[in-house]
Amino acid sequence: MCRRFRYSEIRTPMFEDTDLFLRSVGKETDIVSKEMYTFEDRGGRSLTLRPEGTAPVVRAFLEDNLQGQDRERLTRLFYLAPVFRYDRPQAGRYRQHHQAGIEAIGSGAPGVDAEVIHLAMTFYHAVGIPQVRALLNSVGCPVCRPTYLAALKAAVGARVVEMCGDCARRYEENPLRLFDCKVESCRASMAEAPTQVDNLCEECAGHFAEVQTSLKVIGVEYELDPRIVRGLDYYTKTAFEFVTTGLGAQDAVGGGGRYDGLVEQCGGPATPGVGLGMGIERVLLVRQGLGLHEVEPEREGVYVIALGDEAWETAYRLVSGLRKMGVPADIDYRKRSMRAQMKQADAGGFRYAAILGEDEIKAGQITMRDMTSTEQTAVAMGEVAGWLAAQDEVAT
Ligand SMILES: [Zn+2]
Ligand SMILES: [Zn+2]
């Protein structure tokens, strides 16, 4: 999927300097204040197990100068990596889980935002959950956000006392996240609050309109939702989330947005960027909830069954020879009964069982059994490779 959209894989280390996450994710976020696995190494440096995927990618992007000389070149990267959060484990959310993400760095064009959303929706379709909906919002920029936040605080002001403790804290530290609250009465209090989309500066408004036009051009459906504010400080302009029903209250299966200030915040030159992340375990959970199962892989390779000590050496040599030729092959080191080995050949997903017993050794032959059709063919010893190749030719 990522290759189809011309994204290349990047692998970053499991841990980074703690400072990277303090600077990028932000000290007031839940991630930094409560959820990071931080430790000191023998040199007294503070290190942190990667709690999210974007900051490490940006760090590597800068350190390895992936941008090159052309400052406006678009660099497209994807990753699939374990991330670590000290969080209460719940359905589809583990302290070590896997995150897949993409980052498109170097372009501020609204079409790139649309491309990232398109890639995600294409992915959800491909993995069998086309009911995923894209929720879209704009969180503004350093020009229009401060004015808006002041207006928001003024409008919410007197109602804070009626809201939950988390919201009282959010009001002081990160008022955008007031929209994030799951408490029903808090939601009601926020229903009439002014939204960022209605208070964008000219540039942000123009950008947001173009993102929507781009999505319409490529036929990606979306819904506007002022509550999509994302938990991280570095987002600017476009913010989006992918949701589906079936996981209960926690129904986001991915999200992301534009982060035009992040590269600079990480110590690089001002460089726009947009990206998304998704929790793999959550996607698998949704699939499970829908009753979708793993696609059974096609049968392949040969399970060599040796019966008796005399056959063992020949069988062992055959397995090794097949592996050298690139044919997946295995053998039962426990030398169990024919029945047990045949069962294993089936359960292991092998295409053929190669049976070597006393009779076969005497005749200089091997009995090749097709595990699907159960058809058996006697093949001369030394001809197995040629016979296997011939089967493939027949099949294609
Ligand atoms: Zn703005
Ligand atoms: Zn609340």
Side-chain angles (χ1 to χ4, degrees):
M1 185 70 57
C2 288
R3 297 214 163 80
R4 205 192 298 172
F5 283 75
R6 302 291 294 161
Y7 284 75
S8 321
E9 183 169 12
I10 182 166
R11 294 187 190 177
T12 66
M14 203 80 89
F15 53 82
E16 301 273 351
D17 271 331
T18 302
D19 189 48
L20 172 69
F21 301 111
L22 298 185
R23 270 191 297 167
S24 59
V25 180
K27 289 194 183 80
E28 304 78 34
T29 55
D30 284 354
I31 294 182
V32 170
S33 62
K34 323 190 254 214
E35 296 174 358
M36 293 203 309
Y37 283 91
T38 299
F39 60 97
E40 222 173 69
D41 75 357
R42 285 172 184 273
R45 283 170 291 250
S46 177
L47 302 175
T48 293
L49 294 181
R50 168 176 54 215
E52 60 94 38
T54 301
V57 169
V58 169
R59 200 261 316 133
F61 171 85
L62 286 171
E63 219 162 270
D64 299 335
N65 193 23
L66 297 181
Q67 180 86 340
Q69 293 305 312
D70 181 359
R71 298 248 54 106
E72 278 165 41
R73 189 177 67 190
L74 176 60
T75 303
R76 294 185 174 103
L77 302 165
F78 81 87
Y79 61 84
L80 173 58
V83 294
F84 305 84
R85 299 258 185 105
Y86 190 80
D87 198 359
R88 192 169 51 85
Q90 47 190 304
R93 191 164 282 183
Y94 306 94
R95 287 182 175 151
Q96 172 176 345
H97 63 270
H98 292 82
Q99 196 172 311
I102 65 170
E103 314 296 347
I105 309 173
S107 170
V112 182
D113 308 38
E115 173 185 291
V116 168
I117 295 169
H118 184 207
L119 187 151
M121 294 303 272
T122 311
F123 169 81
Y124 293 126
H125 271 262
V127 298
I129 44 175
Q131 54 277 79
V132 168
R133 290 146 51 217
L135 306 182
L136 188 66
N137 192 24
S138 175
V139 293
C141 71
V143 173
C144 51
R145 202 183 301 162
T147 339
Y148 162 68
L149 289 183
L152 175 65
K153 286 182 87 164
V156 176
R159 312 183 84 162
V160 174
V161 286
E162 305 157 16
M163 296 169 83
C164 73
D166 278 340
C167 281
R169 193 173 45 79
R170 288 176 184 133
Y171 180 82
E172 293 304 331
E173 292 168 2
N174 194 350
L176 261 194
R177 296 208 53 202
L178 287 167
F179 287 101
D180 248 358
C181 195
K182 303 274 186 279
V183 178
E184 207 46 61
S185 59
C186 295
R187 286 195 158 209
S189 294
M190 292 303 291
E192 299 297 311
T195 60
Q196 176 77 70
V197 273
D198 291 330
N199 292 275
L200 295 172
C201 65
E202 205 176 315
E203 194 201 317
C204 287
H207 183 95
F208 196 46
E210 259 196 74
V211 170
Q212 296 181 62
T213 309
S214 303
L215 287 170
K216 282 174 191 145
V217 167
I218 53 181
V220 175
E221 282 179 36
Y222 63 90
E223 298 159 38
L224 294 180
D225 189 335
R227 285 187 311 232
I228 306 304
V229 294
R230 311 293 299 152
L232 308 183
D233 282 356
Y234 52 65
Y235 287 106
T236 53
K237 294 180 177 165
T238 319
F240 46 83
E241 216 163 278
F242 303 100
V243 298
T244 181
T245 43
L247 283 181
Q250 293 275 354
D251 59 355
V253 285
R258 181 162 276 288
Y259 45 78
D260 290 347
L262 179 61
V263 177
E264 214 173 354
Q265 231 167 296
C266 291
T271 313
V274 54
L276 74 85
M278 52 175 88
I280 294 300
E281 283 79 2
R282 294 184 71 76
V283 170
L284 292 175
L285 202 68
V286 171
R287 279 178 49 86
Q288 219 175 53
L290 291 168
L292 297 169
H293 299 290
E294 289 309 310
V295 189
E296 234 176 84
E298 241 179 87
R299 288 185 167 273
E300 59 165 12
V302 179
Y303 194 78
V304 180
I305 297 178
L307 300 166
D309 289 337
E310 219 184 312
W312 174 258
E313 228 174 76
T314 313
Y316 196 47
R317 203 178 303 121
L318 178 61
V319 166
S320 148
L322 287 169
R323 287 172 171 170
K324 258 187 229 166
M325 284 166 16
V327 178
D330 204 357
I331 193 166
D332 183 12
Y333 285 102
R334 286 185 285 176
K335 304 180 180 176
R336 289 175 300 174
S337 69
M338 167 86 164
R339 212 178 109 88
Q341 294 192 51
M342 195 60 86
K343 240 179 159 171
Q344 181 53 38
D346 187 40
F350 289 93
R351 185 170 170 200
Y352 301 105
I355 306 161
L356 268 165
E358 253 172 63
D359 294 347
E360 279 85 1
I361 294 289
K362 257 183 229 152
Q365 286 182 332
I366 297 172
T367 301
M368 297 298 291
R369 179 187 172 92
D370 185 311
M371 295 305 294
T372 311
S373 69
T374 71
E375 193 183 311
Q376 301 199 152
T377 317
V379 178
M381 207 86 79
E383 300 288 321
V384 175
W387 183 83
L388 283 172
Q391 302 311 301
D392 277 337
E393 265 165 42
V394 171
T396 51

